[in-house]
């Protein structure tokens, strides 16, 4: 019988779900190369490949067969062909703009382990989707709010989460859409550079974010009495500021956050949190010729009377700090540790830290490719963002399940 690829789920899976891959109909102990390809919405190609040897019966199951040296990865890695995808264009990041359409994954099996692919033995296509059937995507233009709400299938009430992205502006939907598949009413919130929102805000008014909290709590499908916040980088900093000053925030999951105002000051009523100073000359050269900016932010814990640190001790929420030990943009592990010491000194126990080795600044949901060298969010120069392929792939999966468990517990 001719070789064929067997996938489970067969034709379609969610982007953050595992995919079981097997090949049947090979010769006994036949050597083959498996390759995955995916094109993003701009047409840029991402690929990974691995060398395998079939079992005595001609079966090859990636859950039981280790990849041999020479490909994108080696060892027993059932999802390696997904997490090892890398762009053919250097420094390119996989981004999903339209979550209503899936990414199309192409799988191919080639004869042998040569430098160039051998004869094509089998191929298959598979859709990696962002919305489970029945999950609703609702554009929100209420008052000043510019957002998209994702509602899980059904008429029940669901725990509510506001998802806030980092510097760069715009409306970012992939993480919120994936969270909604897991039973959370999730609002992807834009806060600048989107439609009629400010292009270059002089300050971020927490009243805008308060409006989003109130919108969620008034929604008939959002279960009160409060909401959760999930923020990355600048968005995590915004989430921490919301928790310090606003009511009805029950739980905050912060991904690699500065714990002081950076780049754009915060204001709330008559209170201003000024920005911490950035020293671009403190960027360090690395072996890879790209700059490491992890030391450019003034330490908000060292400057006496520092006004830029976010006063988290005022917040009543539960805090989950998710940090990459190899974050080269923000010293996120140091900040999380120091801020938790301050909370502890005030007799508080409303915090936990998840710290991941080999993990850089970008912590995306599972199976997004590692983005370890890219444009610095402030200086717009090529920078080391940090992270190492295999360690990061494990951190993604674990952090994603821990974040969901955290919100289930406290919402």
């Amino acid at each position: 019988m001719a070789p064929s690829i067997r996938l489970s789920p067969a034709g379609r899976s969610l982007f953050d779900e595992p995919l079981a891959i097997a090949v049947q109909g090979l010769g006994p102990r036949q050597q083959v190369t498996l390759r995955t390809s995916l094109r993003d919405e701009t047409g840029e190609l991402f690929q990974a490949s691995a060398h395998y040897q079939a079992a005595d019966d001609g079966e090859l199951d990636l859950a039981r067969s280790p990849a041999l040296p020479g490909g994108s990865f080696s060892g027993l890695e059932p999802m390696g062909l997904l997490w090892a995808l890398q762009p053919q264009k250097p420094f390119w990041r996989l981004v999903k703009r339209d979550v209503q359409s899936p990414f199309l994954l192409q799988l191919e099996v080639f004869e042998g382990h040569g430098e160039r692919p051998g004869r094509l033995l089998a191929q298959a296509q598979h859709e990696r989707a962002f919305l489970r059937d029945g999950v609703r995507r609702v554009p929100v233009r209420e008052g000043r709010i510019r957002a998209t709400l994702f509602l899980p299938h059904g008429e029940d009430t669901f725990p509510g989460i506001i998802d806030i992205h980092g510097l760069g502006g715009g409306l970012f939907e992939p993480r919120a859409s994936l969270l909604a598949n897991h039973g959370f009413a999730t609002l992807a919130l834009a806060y600048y550079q989107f439609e009629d929102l400010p292009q270059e805000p002089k300050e971020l008014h927490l009243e805008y974010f308060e409006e989003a909290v109130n919108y969620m709590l008034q929604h008939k499908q959002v279960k009160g009495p409060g909401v959760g916040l999930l923020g990355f980088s600048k968005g995590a900093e915004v989430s921490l500021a919301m928790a310090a000053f606003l009511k009805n925030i029950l739980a905050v999951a912060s991904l690699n956050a500065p714990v002081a105002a950076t780049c754009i000051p915060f204001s709330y009523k008559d209170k201003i949190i000024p920005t911490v100073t950035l020293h671009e000359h403190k960027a360090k050269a690395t072996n890879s010729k790209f700059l490491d900016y992890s030391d450019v932010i003034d330490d908000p814990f060292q400057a006496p009377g520092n006004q830029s640190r976010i006063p988290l001790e005022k917040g009543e929420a539960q805090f989950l700090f998710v940090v990459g030990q190899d974050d080269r943009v923000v010293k996120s592990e140091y900040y999380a540790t120091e801020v938790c010491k301050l909370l502890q000194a005030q007799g508080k126990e409303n915090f936990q830290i998840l710290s991941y080795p080999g993990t850089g600044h970008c912590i995306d949901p599972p199976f997004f490719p590692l983005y370890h060298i890219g444009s610095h969010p402030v200086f717009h120069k090529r920078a080391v963002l940090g992270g190492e392929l295999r360690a990061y792939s494990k951190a993604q999966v674990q952090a994603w399940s821990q974040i969901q468990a955290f919100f289930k517990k406290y919402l």
Side-chain angles (χ1 to χ4, degrees):
M1 80 186 203
S4 63
I5 298 171
R6 191 176 67 236
L7 301 173
S8 176
R12 185 183 176 100
S13 57
L14 291 172
F15 195 88
D16 60 344
E17 277 183 341
L19 176 65
I21 302 172
V23 184
Q24 52 200 28
L26 296 170
R29 307 188 71 73
Q30 184 175 354
Q31 295 197 331
V32 290
T33 298
L34 270 61
R35 184 171 76 187
T36 42
S37 309
L38 179 155
R39 284 194 186 275
D40 72 6
E41 290 153 321
T42 68
E44 289 299 337
L45 179 65
F46 289 73
Q47 282 190 324
S49 66
H51 297 328
Y52 284 99
Q53 182 171 311
D56 292 337
D57 60 1
E59 280 271 325
L60 172 60
D61 182 347
L62 271 55
R64 292 203 298 267
S65 300
L68 305 171
S72 304
F73 59 92
S74 60
L76 188 63
E77 295 288 352
M79 287 294 286
L81 285 168
L82 291 161
W83 60 246
L85 285 165
Q86 282 291 288
Q88 300 303 289
K89 180 179 180 175
F91 321 121
W92 193 255
R93 187 173 192 187
L94 184 65
V95 175
K96 190 74 178 104
R97 298 277 171 222
D98 175 15
V99 297
Q100 296 176 98
S101 69
F103 276 132
L104 194 60
L105 186 71
Q106 181 90 23
L107 292 101
E108 296 162 300
V109 182
F110 298 99
E111 202 166 51
H113 291 168
E115 283 291 298
R116 305 185 94 71
R119 187 167 58 96
L120 179 67
L121 301 176
Q123 59 182 330
Q125 284 193 331
H126 185 83
E127 290 184 347
R128 295 289 276 170
F130 285 77
L131 293 176
R132 201 186 285 287
D133 288 346
V135 172
R136 283 159 294 157
R137 179 186 175 275
V138 184
V140 177
R141 305 290 182 272
E142 295 264 334
R144 291 180 299 175
I145 304 169
R146 302 291 173 263
T148 304
L149 178 63
F150 292 93
L151 289 166
H153 180 61
E155 298 306 311
D156 299 344
T157 60
F158 304 99
I161 295 171
I162 301 175
D163 180 21
I164 307 176
H165 199 52
L167 282 176
L171 182 59
F172 181 81
E173 298 184 358
R175 194 171 51 206
S177 64
L178 291 172
L179 260 185
N181 299 322
H182 296 281
F184 299 98
T186 313
L187 186 77
L189 181 65
Y191 56 103
Y192 75 110
Q193 282 183 15
F194 182 72
E195 294 184 359
D196 56 352
L197 293 173
Q199 281 301 303
E200 301 289 336
K202 296 284 176 277
E203 49 191 35
L204 292 178
H205 301 282
L206 290 178
E207 287 84 353
Y208 171 77
F209 299 94
E210 191 168 38
E211 216 173 299
V213 173
N214 293 335
Y215 166 81
M216 288 293 276
L217 290 175
Q218 285 155 13
H219 196 286
K220 65 179 193 301
Q221 281 196 267
V222 173
K223 176 177 145 187
V227 298
L229 306 175
L230 172 58
F232 160 66
S233 194
K234 180 71 182 180
E237 179 195 306
V238 170
S239 303
L240 297 175
M242 290 169 72
F245 291 100
L246 308 182
K247 294 186 180 69
N248 303 318
I249 312 288
L250 300 181
V252 179
S254 149
L255 303 170
N256 284 337
V259 294
T262 57
C263 308
I264 313 167
F266 291 108
S267 73
Y268 184 60
K269 297 181 176 164
D270 53 1
K271 171 92 178 135
I272 297 268
I273 301 186
T275 55
V276 71
T277 309
L278 303 182
H279 303 280
E280 192 176 356
H281 69 272
K282 290 189 176 175
K284 299 189 291 268
T286 62
N287 298 345
S288 62
K289 309 280 188 288
F290 303 108
L291 292 171
D292 174 340
Y293 284 97
S294 54
D295 280 333
V296 302
I297 303 175
D298 239 4
D299 187 338
F301 297 98
Q302 295 303 328
N306 189 305
Q307 298 298 300
S308 57
R309 187 179 67 75
I310 296 163
L312 278 191
E313 57 278 8
K314 293 186 169 156
E316 294 301 314
Q318 292 288 330
F319 295 106
L320 176 67
F321 295 95
V322 181
V323 299
Q325 290 176 17
D326 191 36
D327 184 349
R328 306 287 190 89
V329 177
V330 173
K331 285 187 163 170
S332 44
E333 187 180 35
Y334 168 73
Y335 290 151
T337 308
E338 290 301 308
V339 90
C340 290
K341 281 185 200 163
L342 283 179
L343 292 172
Q344 207 163 11
Q346 306 237 350
K348 297 197 162 205
E349 293 177 354
N350 59 335
F351 56 86
Q352 62 190 102
I353 300 176
L354 293 176
S355 180
Y356 293 104
T359 299
H361 188 62
C362 299
I363 302 182
D364 289 314
F367 313 124
F368 270 92
L370 171 67
Y371 181 59
H372 60 109
I373 292 175
S375 179
H376 189 276
V378 179
F379 302 113
H380 306 296
K381 292 178 182 163
R382 282 259 190 272
V384 180
L385 308 178
E388 179 271 307
L389 197 55
R390 189 184 301 250
Y392 172 61
S393 71
K394 305 250 185 297
Q396 279 176 307
V397 171
Q398 206 210 344
W400 189 234
S401 73
Q402 294 281 341
I403 286 165
Q404 290 170 49
F406 170 74
F407 283 131
K408 286 193 170 115
K409 180 173 178 180
Y410 293 111
L411 299 179

